[in-house]
Coordinates of all heavy atoms in Angstrom, one line a residue:
M13 N -61.1 -213.4 153.2 CA -62.5 -213.4 153.1 C -63.2 -213.3 151.7 O -64.1 -214.0 151.4 CB -63.1 -212.3 154.1 CG -64.6 -212.4 154.2 SD -65.0 -213.8 155.2 CE -66.7 -213.8 155.0
S14 N -62.4 -212.6 151.0 CA -62.9 -212.5 149.5 C -62.8 -213.8 148.8 O -63.7 -214.1 147.9 CB -62.2 -211.3 148.8 OG -60.8 -211.7 148.6
W15 N -61.7 -214.6 149.2 CA -61.7 -215.8 148.5 C -62.6 -216.9 149.0 O -63.1 -217.8 148.2 CB -60.2 -216.4 148.7 CG -59.2 -215.9 147.7 CD1 -58.2 -215.0 148.0 CD2 -59.2 -216.2 146.4 NE1 -57.6 -214.7 146.9 CE2 -58.2 -215.3 145.8 CE3 -60.0 -217.0 145.5 CZ2 -57.8 -215.4 144.4 CZ3 -59.6 -217.0 144.0 CH2 -58.6 -216.2 143.6
V16 N -63.1 -216.7 150.2 CA -64.1 -217.6 150.8 C -65.4 -217.3 150.1 O -66.1 -218.3 149.7 CB -64.3 -217.4 152.3 CG1 -65.5 -218.1 152.9 CG2 -63.0 -217.9 153.0
L17 N -65.7 -216.0 149.8 CA -66.9 -215.7 149.1 C -66.8 -216.0 147.6 O -67.8 -216.2 147.0 CB -67.1 -214.1 149.3 CG -67.7 -213.7 150.7 CD1 -67.9 -212.2 150.7 CD2 -69.0 -214.3 150.9
A18 N -65.7 -216.2 147.2 CA -65.5 -216.4 145.7 C -65.6 -217.9 145.4 O -65.9 -218.3 144.3 CB -64.1 -216.0 145.3
Q19 N -65.4 -218.7 146.4 CA -65.5 -220.3 146.2 C -66.9 -220.7 145.6 O -66.9 -221.6 144.7 CB -65.2 -220.9 147.5 CG -63.8 -220.9 147.9 CD -62.9 -221.3 146.9 OE1 -63.0 -222.4 146.4 NE2 -61.8 -220.6 146.6
P20 N -68.0 -220.2 146.1 CA -69.2 -220.7 145.3 C -69.3 -220.4 143.8 O -69.9 -221.1 143.1 CB -70.4 -219.9 146.1 CG -69.8 -219.6 147.5 CD -68.4 -219.4 147.2
F21 N -68.8 -219.2 143.4 CA -68.7 -218.9 141.9 C -67.9 -219.9 141.2 O -68.2 -220.4 140.0 CB -68.2 -217.5 141.8 CG -69.1 -216.3 142.2 CD1 -68.8 -215.7 143.3 CD2 -70.3 -216.2 141.6 CE1 -69.6 -214.7 143.8 CE2 -71.1 -215.2 142.0 CZ -70.8 -214.4 143.1
L22 N -66.7 -220.4 141.8 CA -65.9 -221.4 141.2 C -66.7 -222.7 141.1 O -66.6 -223.5 140.3 CB -64.6 -221.5 141.9 CG -63.8 -220.3 141.9 CD1 -62.5 -220.4 142.7 CD2 -63.4 -219.9 140.4
A23 N -67.4 -223.0 142.2 CA -68.2 -224.3 142.3 C -69.3 -224.4 141.3 O -69.6 -225.5 140.9 CB -68.7 -224.5 143.8
I24 N -69.9 -223.3 141.0 CA -71.0 -223.4 140.0 C -70.5 -223.0 138.6 O -71.3 -222.7 137.7 CB -72.2 -222.4 140.4 CG1 -71.8 -221.0 140.4 CG2 -72.8 -222.9 141.7 CD1 -72.9 -220.0 140.6
N25 N -69.2 -223.0 138.4 CA -68.5 -222.9 137.2 C -68.8 -221.5 136.5 O -69.1 -221.3 135.4 CB -69.0 -224.1 136.1 CG -68.1 -224.2 135.1 OD1 -66.9 -223.8 135.1 ND2 -68.5 -224.7 134.0
Q26 N -68.6 -220.5 137.3 CA -68.6 -219.1 136.9 C -67.3 -218.4 137.3 O -67.4 -217.5 138.1 CB -69.8 -218.4 137.5 CG -71.1 -218.9 136.9 CD -72.3 -218.0 137.4 OE1 -72.2 -217.3 138.4 NE2 -73.3 -218.1 136.7
P27 N -66.2 -218.9 136.8 CA -64.9 -218.2 137.3 C -64.7 -216.8 136.7 O -63.9 -216.0 137.2 CB -63.9 -219.1 136.8 CG -64.4 -219.8 135.6 CD -66.0 -220.0 136.0
G28 N -65.6 -216.4 135.8 CA -65.5 -215.0 135.1 C -65.7 -214.0 136.2 O -65.1 -213.0 136.1
K29 N -66.6 -214.3 137.0 CA -67.0 -213.3 138.2 C -65.8 -213.1 139.0 O -65.4 -212.0 139.5 CB -68.2 -213.7 138.8 CG -69.4 -213.7 137.9 CD -70.6 -213.8 138.7 CE -71.9 -214.0 137.8 NZ -72.1 -213.1 136.7
V30 N -65.1 -214.1 139.4 CA -63.9 -214.0 140.2 C -62.8 -213.3 139.5 O -62.2 -212.4 140.1 CB -63.4 -215.5 140.8 CG1 -62.2 -215.3 141.5 CG2 -64.5 -216.2 141.4
T31 N -62.6 -213.7 138.3 CA -61.6 -213.0 137.5 C -61.9 -211.4 137.5 O -60.9 -210.7 137.4 CB -61.6 -213.5 136.1 OG1 -61.3 -215.0 136.2 CG2 -60.5 -212.9 135.3
M32 N -63.1 -211.1 137.2 CA -63.6 -209.7 137.2 C -63.2 -209.0 138.5 O -62.7 -207.8 138.4 CB -65.0 -209.5 136.9 CG -65.5 -208.1 136.7 SD -67.2 -207.9 136.3 CE -68.0 -208.7 137.7
T33 N -63.4 -209.6 139.6 CA -63.1 -208.9 140.9 C -61.6 -208.7 141.0 O -61.1 -207.7 141.5 CB -63.7 -209.6 142.1 OG1 -63.2 -210.9 142.2 CG2 -65.2 -209.6 142.0
Q34 N -60.9 -209.8 140.6 CA -59.4 -209.8 140.7 C -58.9 -208.6 139.8 O -57.9 -208.0 140.1 CB -58.8 -211.0 140.3 CG -59.1 -212.2 141.3 CD -58.5 -211.9 142.7 OE1 -57.5 -211.4 142.8 NE2 -59.3 -212.3 143.7
T35 N -59.4 -208.5 138.6 CA -59.0 -207.5 137.5 C -59.3 -206.0 138.1 O -58.4 -205.3 137.9 CB -59.7 -207.7 136.2 OG1 -59.4 -209.1 135.8 CG2 -59.2 -206.8 135.1
I36 N -60.4 -205.9 138.7 CA -60.8 -204.6 139.2 C -59.7 -204.2 140.4 O -59.2 -203.2 140.3 CB -62.2 -204.6 139.8 CG1 -63.2 -204.7 138.7 CG2 -62.4 -203.4 140.7 CD1 -64.6 -204.9 139.2
S37 N -59.5 -205.2 141.3 CA -58.5 -204.8 142.3 C -57.1 -204.6 141.8 O -56.3 -203.8 142.3 CB -58.6 -205.9 143.4 OG -58.1 -207.1 142.9
F38 N -56.6 -205.4 140.8 CA -55.4 -205.3 140.3 C -55.3 -204.0 139.4 O -54.3 -203.3 139.6 CB -55.0 -206.4 139.3 CG -53.7 -206.5 138.7 CD1 -52.6 -206.8 139.4 CD2 -53.5 -206.1 137.4 CE1 -51.3 -206.8 138.9 CE2 -52.3 -206.1 136.8 CZ -51.2 -206.4 137.6
G39 N -56.3 -203.7 138.7 CA -56.3 -202.3 138.0 C -56.3 -201.1 138.9 O -55.6 -200.1 138.6
L40 N -56.9 -201.2 140.1 CA -56.8 -200.2 141.1 C -55.5 -200.2 141.8 O -54.9 -199.1 142.2 CB -58.0 -200.3 142.1 CG -58.1 -199.3 143.2 CD1 -58.4 -198.0 142.7 CD2 -59.2 -199.8 144.2
G41 N -55.0 -201.4 142.0 CA -53.8 -201.5 142.9 C -52.5 -201.0 142.3 O -51.6 -200.4 143.1
I42 N -52.2 -201.1 141.0 CA -51.0 -200.6 140.4 C -50.9 -199.2 140.6 O -49.8 -198.7 141.1 CB -50.8 -201.1 138.9 CG1 -50.9 -202.5 138.9 CG2 -49.7 -200.4 138.3 CD1 -49.7 -203.2 139.5
P43 N -51.8 -198.3 140.2 CA -51.7 -196.8 140.5 C -51.5 -196.5 141.9 O -50.8 -195.7 142.3 CB -52.9 -196.2 139.8 CG -53.5 -197.3 139.0 CD -53.1 -198.6 139.5
L44 N -52.3 -197.2 142.7 CA -52.3 -196.9 144.3 C -51.0 -197.1 144.8 O -50.4 -196.3 145.6 CB -53.4 -197.7 144.9 CG -54.7 -197.1 145.2 CD1 -55.6 -198.0 145.9 CD2 -54.6 -195.8 145.9
L45 N -50.4 -198.3 144.4 CA -49.0 -198.6 144.9 C -48.0 -197.5 144.4 O -47.2 -197.1 145.3 CB -48.6 -200.0 144.4 CG -49.1 -201.1 145.2 CD1 -48.8 -202.4 144.4 CD2 -48.5 -201.2 146.5
F46 N -48.0 -197.1 143.2 CA -47.1 -196.0 142.7 C -47.3 -194.7 143.6 O -46.3 -194.1 144.0 CB -47.1 -195.9 141.3 CG -46.4 -197.0 140.5 CD1 -47.1 -197.7 139.7 CD2 -45.1 -197.1 140.6 CE1 -46.4 -198.8 139.0 CE2 -44.3 -198.1 140.0 CZ -45.1 -198.9 139.2
I47 N -48.7 -194.3 143.7 CA -49.0 -193.0 144.2 C -48.5 -193.0 145.7 O -47.9 -192.1 146.2 CB -50.5 -192.7 144.0 CG1 -50.6 -192.4 142.5 CG2 -50.8 -191.4 144.7 CD1 -52.1 -192.3 142.1
L48 N -49.1 -194.0 146.4 CA -48.9 -193.9 147.9 C -47.4 -194.3 148.3 O -47.0 -193.8 149.3 CB -49.9 -194.9 148.5 CG -51.3 -194.4 148.4 CD1 -52.3 -195.4 149.0 CD2 -51.6 -193.0 149.1
A49 N -46.8 -195.3 147.5 CA -45.5 -195.6 147.9 C -44.5 -194.4 147.7 O -43.5 -194.3 148.5 CB -45.0 -196.8 147.1
K50 N -44.8 -193.5 146.7 CA -43.9 -192.4 146.5 C -44.0 -191.5 147.5 O -43.0 -190.9 148.0 CB -44.3 -191.8 145.1 CG -43.2 -191.4 144.2 CD -43.7 -190.9 143.0 CE -43.2 -191.7 141.8 NZ -43.4 -191.1 140.5
S51 N -45.2 -191.2 148.1 CA -45.3 -190.2 149.1 C -45.1 -190.6 150.5 O -44.7 -189.9 151.3 CB -46.8 -189.6 148.9 OG -47.8 -190.5 149.2
N52 N -45.5 -191.8 150.8 CA -45.4 -192.3 152.2 C -44.5 -193.5 152.4 O -44.5 -194.2 153.5 CB -46.8 -192.7 152.7 CG -47.7 -191.5 152.7 OD1 -47.2 -190.3 153.0 ND2 -49.0 -191.7 152.5
Q53 N -43.8 -194.0 151.4 CA -42.9 -195.2 151.5 C -43.6 -196.4 152.0 O -44.6 -196.8 151.3 CB -41.6 -194.9 152.4 CG -40.6 -194.0 151.8 CD -41.0 -192.5 152.1 OE1 -41.6 -192.3 153.1 NE2 -40.5 -191.7 151.2
L54 N -43.1 -197.0 153.0 CA -43.7 -198.3 153.5 C -45.1 -198.2 154.0 O -45.9 -199.2 153.8 CB -42.8 -199.0 154.5 CG -43.1 -200.3 154.9 CD1 -42.9 -201.3 153.7 CD2 -42.1 -200.8 156.0
V55 N -45.4 -197.2 154.7 CA -46.9 -197.0 155.2 C -47.7 -196.8 154.0 O -48.9 -197.3 154.0 CB -46.9 -195.7 156.1 CG1 -48.3 -195.5 156.6 CG2 -46.0 -196.0 157.4
G56 N -47.3 -196.1 153.0 CA -48.2 -196.0 151.7 C -48.4 -197.3 151.0 O -49.6 -197.6 150.5
V57 N -47.4 -198.2 151.1 CA -47.6 -199.5 150.4 C -48.6 -200.3 151.3 O -49.5 -200.9 150.7 CB -46.2 -200.3 150.4 CG1 -46.5 -201.7 149.9 CG2 -45.4 -199.5 149.4
A58 N -48.5 -200.2 152.6 CA -49.5 -200.9 153.5 C -50.9 -200.4 153.3 O -51.8 -201.1 153.2 CB -49.1 -200.7 155.0
F59 N -51.1 -199.0 153.2 CA -52.4 -198.5 153.0 C -53.0 -198.9 151.6 O -54.1 -199.3 151.5 CB -52.3 -197.0 153.1 CG -52.5 -196.4 154.5 CD1 -51.6 -195.5 155.0 CD2 -53.5 -197.0 155.4 CE1 -51.7 -195.1 156.2 CE2 -53.5 -196.5 156.7 CZ -52.7 -195.6 157.1
S60 N -52.1 -198.9 150.6 CA -52.6 -199.3 149.2 C -53.0 -200.7 149.2 O -54.1 -201.1 148.7 CB -51.6 -199.0 148.3 OG -50.4 -199.9 148.4
L61 N -52.3 -201.6 149.9 CA -52.7 -203.1 150.0 C -54.1 -203.2 150.8 O -54.8 -204.0 150.4 CB -51.6 -203.8 150.6 CG -50.4 -204.0 149.7 CD1 -49.3 -204.8 150.5 CD2 -50.6 -204.8 148.5
L62 N -54.2 -202.4 151.9 CA -55.4 -202.4 152.6 C -56.6 -202.0 151.7 O -57.7 -202.6 151.8 CB -55.3 -201.6 153.9 CG -56.6 -201.5 154.8 CD1 -56.9 -202.8 155.4 CD2 -56.3 -200.4 155.7
I63 N -56.4 -200.9 151.0 CA -57.5 -200.4 150.2 C -57.9 -201.4 149.1 O -59.1 -201.6 148.8 CB -57.1 -199.1 149.5 CG1 -57.1 -198.0 150.6 CG2 -58.1 -198.6 148.4 CD1 -56.3 -196.7 150.2
I64 N -56.8 -202.0 148.5 CA -57.1 -203.0 147.4 C -57.9 -204.2 148.0 O -58.8 -204.6 147.4 CB -55.7 -203.5 146.9 CG1 -55.1 -202.4 146.2 CG2 -55.9 -204.7 146.0 CD1 -53.6 -202.7 145.8
S65 N -57.6 -204.6 149.2 CA -58.2 -205.8 149.8 C -59.7 -205.4 150.1 O -60.6 -206.2 149.9 CB -57.5 -206.2 151.1 OG -56.2 -206.6 150.8
I66 N -59.9 -204.2 150.6 CA -61.3 -203.8 150.9 C -62.1 -203.8 149.6 O -63.3 -204.1 149.6 CB -61.3 -202.5 151.7 CG1 -60.7 -202.7 153.1 CG2 -62.7 -201.9 151.7 CD1 -60.4 -201.4 153.9
V67 N -61.6 -203.1 148.6 CA -62.3 -203.1 147.3 C -62.6 -204.5 146.8 O -63.7 -204.8 146.4 CB -61.5 -202.3 146.3 CG1 -62.0 -202.4 144.9 CG2 -61.4 -200.9 146.7
R68 N -61.6 -205.4 146.9 CA -61.9 -206.7 146.4 C -62.9 -207.5 147.3 O -63.8 -208.1 146.7 CB -60.6 -207.6 146.5 CG -60.7 -208.9 145.9 CD -59.5 -209.8 146.1 NE -58.3 -209.1 145.4 CZ -57.1 -209.1 145.8 NH1 -56.8 -209.6 147.0 NH2 -56.2 -208.4 145.2
L69 N -62.9 -207.2 148.5 CA -63.9 -207.8 149.4 C -65.4 -207.2 149.1 O -66.3 -208.0 148.9 CB -63.7 -207.6 150.8 CG -64.6 -208.1 151.9 CD1 -64.7 -209.6 151.7 CD2 -64.3 -207.7 153.3
L70 N -65.4 -206.0 148.9 CA -66.7 -205.4 148.6 C -67.3 -205.8 147.3 O -68.4 -206.0 147.1 CB -66.5 -203.8 148.6 CG -66.5 -203.2 150.0 CD1 -66.3 -201.7 149.9 CD2 -67.6 -203.5 150.9
A71 N -66.4 -205.8 146.3 CA -66.9 -206.4 144.9 C -67.2 -207.7 144.9 O -68.3 -208.1 144.4 CB -65.7 -206.2 143.9
T72 N -66.6 -208.6 145.7 CA -67.0 -209.9 145.8 C -68.3 -210.2 146.5 O -69.2 -210.9 146.2 CB -65.9 -210.8 146.5 OG1 -64.6 -210.6 145.7 CG2 -66.1 -212.3 146.5
Y73 N -68.4 -209.3 147.6 CA -69.7 -209.3 148.4 C -70.9 -209.0 147.7 O -71.9 -209.5 147.6 CB -69.5 -208.4 149.6 CG -70.8 -208.3 150.4 CD1 -71.3 -209.4 151.2 CD2 -71.6 -207.2 150.4 CE1 -72.4 -209.2 151.9 CE2 -72.7 -207.0 151.0 CZ -73.2 -208.1 151.8 OH -74.4 -208.0 152.5
I74 N -70.8 -207.8 146.8 CA -71.9 -207.3 145.9 C -72.2 -208.4 145.0 O -73.4 -208.6 144.8 CB -71.4 -206.0 145.4 CG1 -71.4 -204.9 146.4 CG2 -72.5 -205.6 144.3 CD1 -70.8 -203.6 145.9
L75 N -71.3 -209.0 144.3 CA -71.5 -210.1 143.4 C -72.3 -211.2 144.0 O -73.2 -211.9 143.5 CB -70.3 -210.6 142.6 CG -69.7 -209.6 141.5 CD1 -68.5 -210.1 141.0 CD2 -70.7 -209.5 140.5
F76 N -71.7 -211.6 145.3 CA -72.3 -212.7 146.0 C -73.8 -212.4 146.3 O -74.7 -213.3 146.2 CB -71.5 -213.0 147.3 CG -71.8 -214.2 148.0 CD1 -71.3 -215.4 147.7 CD2 -72.8 -214.1 149.0 CE1 -71.6 -216.6 148.4 CE2 -73.1 -215.3 149.7 CZ -72.5 -216.5 149.4
D77 N -74.0 -211.2 146.8 CA -75.4 -210.9 147.2 C -76.3 -210.8 146.0 O -77.5 -211.3 146.2 CB -75.3 -209.4 147.8 CG -76.4 -209.1 148.7 OD1 -77.2 -210.0 149.1 OD2 -76.7 -207.9 148.9
I78 N -75.9 -210.4 144.8 CA -76.7 -210.3 143.7 C -76.9 -211.7 143.2 O -78.2 -212.1 142.8 CB -76.0 -209.4 142.6 CG1 -76.1 -208.0 143.0 CG2 -76.8 -209.6 141.3 CD1 -75.2 -207.1 142.2
R79 N -76.0 -212.6 143.1 CA -76.2 -213.9 142.4 C -76.9 -214.8 143.3 O -77.8 -215.6 142.9 CB -74.7 -214.4 142.0 CG -74.8 -215.9 141.6 CD -75.5 -216.0 140.3 NE -75.5 -217.3 139.8 CZ -76.4 -218.3 140.1 NH1 -77.4 -218.0 140.8 NH2 -76.2 -219.5 139.5
F80 N -76.5 -214.9 144.6 CA -77.1 -215.9 145.5 C -78.3 -215.4 146.3 O -78.9 -216.2 147.0 CB -76.0 -216.6 146.4 CG -75.0 -217.3 145.5 CD1 -73.7 -216.7 145.4 CD2 -75.3 -218.5 144.9 CE1 -72.8 -217.4 144.7 CE2 -74.3 -219.2 144.2 CZ -73.0 -218.6 144.0
R81 N -78.4 -214.2 146.4 CA -79.5 -213.5 147.2 C -79.5 -214.0 148.5 O -80.5 -214.2 149.2 CB -80.9 -213.8 146.6 CG -81.1 -213.2 145.3 CD -82.5 -213.5 144.7 NE -82.7 -212.9 143.5 CZ -82.4 -213.4 142.3 NH1 -81.9 -214.6 142.2 NH2 -82.6 -212.8 141.1
I82 N -78.3 -214.1 149.1 CA -78.0 -214.3 150.5 C -77.3 -213.1 151.1 O -76.2 -212.7 150.8 CB -77.1 -215.6 150.7 CG1 -77.7 -216.9 150.1 CG2 -76.8 -215.8 152.1 CD1 -76.7 -217.9 150.1
H83 N -78.1 -212.4 152.0 CA -77.6 -211.3 152.6 C -76.8 -211.6 153.8 O -77.3 -212.3 154.7 CB -78.8 -210.4 153.0 CG -79.7 -210.1 151.9 ND1 -79.3 -209.3 150.8 CD2 -81.0 -210.5 151.6 CE1 -80.4 -209.2 149.9 NE2 -81.4 -209.9 150.4
L84 N -75.5 -211.2 153.8 CA -74.7 -211.5 154.9 C -74.7 -210.5 156.0 O -73.8 -210.5 157.0 CB -73.3 -211.6 154.3 CG -73.0 -212.7 153.3 CD1 -71.6 -212.7 152.7 CD2 -73.4 -214.0 153.8
R85 N -75.6 -209.5 156.0 CA -75.8 -208.6 157.0 C -76.4 -209.2 158.3 O -77.2 -210.2 158.2 CB -76.6 -207.4 156.6 CG -76.1 -206.6 155.5 CD -77.1 -205.6 155.1 NE -76.9 -205.3 153.6 CZ -77.5 -205.9 152.7 NH1 -78.3 -206.9 152.9 NH2 -77.2 -205.6 151.4
K86 N -76.0 -208.7 159.5 CA -76.6 -209.2 160.8 C -78.1 -208.9 160.8 O -78.4 -207.7 160.6 CB -75.8 -208.5 161.9 CG -76.2 -209.1 163.2 CD -75.5 -208.5 164.3 CE -75.8 -209.1 165.7 NZ -75.1 -208.4 166.8
Q87 N -78.9 -209.9 161.1 CA -80.3 -209.7 161.2 C -80.6 -209.4 162.7 O -80.1 -210.0 163.6 CB -81.0 -211.0 160.8 CG -80.7 -211.4 159.4 CD -81.2 -210.5 158.4 OE1 -82.3 -209.9 158.6 NE2 -80.6 -210.3 157.3
N88 N -81.5 -208.4 162.9 CA -82.0 -208.1 164.2 C -82.9 -209.2 164.7 O -84.0 -209.5 164.0 CB -82.7 -206.7 164.2 CG -81.6 -205.6 163.9 OD1 -80.4 -205.8 164.3 ND2 -82.1 -204.6 163.5
A89 N -82.7 -209.7 165.9 CA -83.6 -210.8 166.3 C -84.7 -210.2 167.2 O -84.7 -209.3 167.9 CB -82.8 -211.9 167.0

């Protein structure tokens, strides 16, 4: 989902925003993998990958919401 939200940034020639979200998730991912894999083995690795994916999705969503002013929240009808 984060890559789907990142496509408009690439289309309008702003790949730096996508790179920033990837860098944030990568910077968070390395310590999380070491910490959680040491204590919980395979389940820790799975949780760290889940946390990394959620952080990447939230960062991309926030940038998407700020740049394009399109709110992806469900509207009450």
Side-chain angles (χ1 to χ4, degrees):
M13 187 66 192
S14 66
W15 278 108
V16 172
L17 287 175
Q19 291 302 311
F21 290 110
L22 298 175
I24 63 171
N25 201 20
Q26 290 184 343
K29 297 193 188 306
V30 178
T31 304
M32 184 176 61
T33 60
Q34 295 296 324
T35 305
I36 290 169
S37 64
F38 183 72
L40 178 67
I42 297 299
L44 267 178
L45 279 170
F46 280 117
I47 292 168
L48 293 177
K50 226 177 235 186
S51 61
N52 298 324
Q53 288 87 25
L54 191 58
V55 176
V57 171
F59 277 132
S60 65
L61 291 175
L62 179 66
I63 292 168
I64 294 165
S65 297
I66 290 171
V67 167
R68 182 182 302 138
L69 179 62
L70 287 175
T72 307
Y73 173 74
I74 290 168
L75 285 175
F76 188 87
D77 198 21
I78 290 170
R79 172 62 177 95
F80 296 107
R81 292 182 182 89
I82 299 173
H83 305 290
L84 300 177
R85 294 175 209 89
K86 184 177 178 181
Q87 300 294 324
N88 293 333

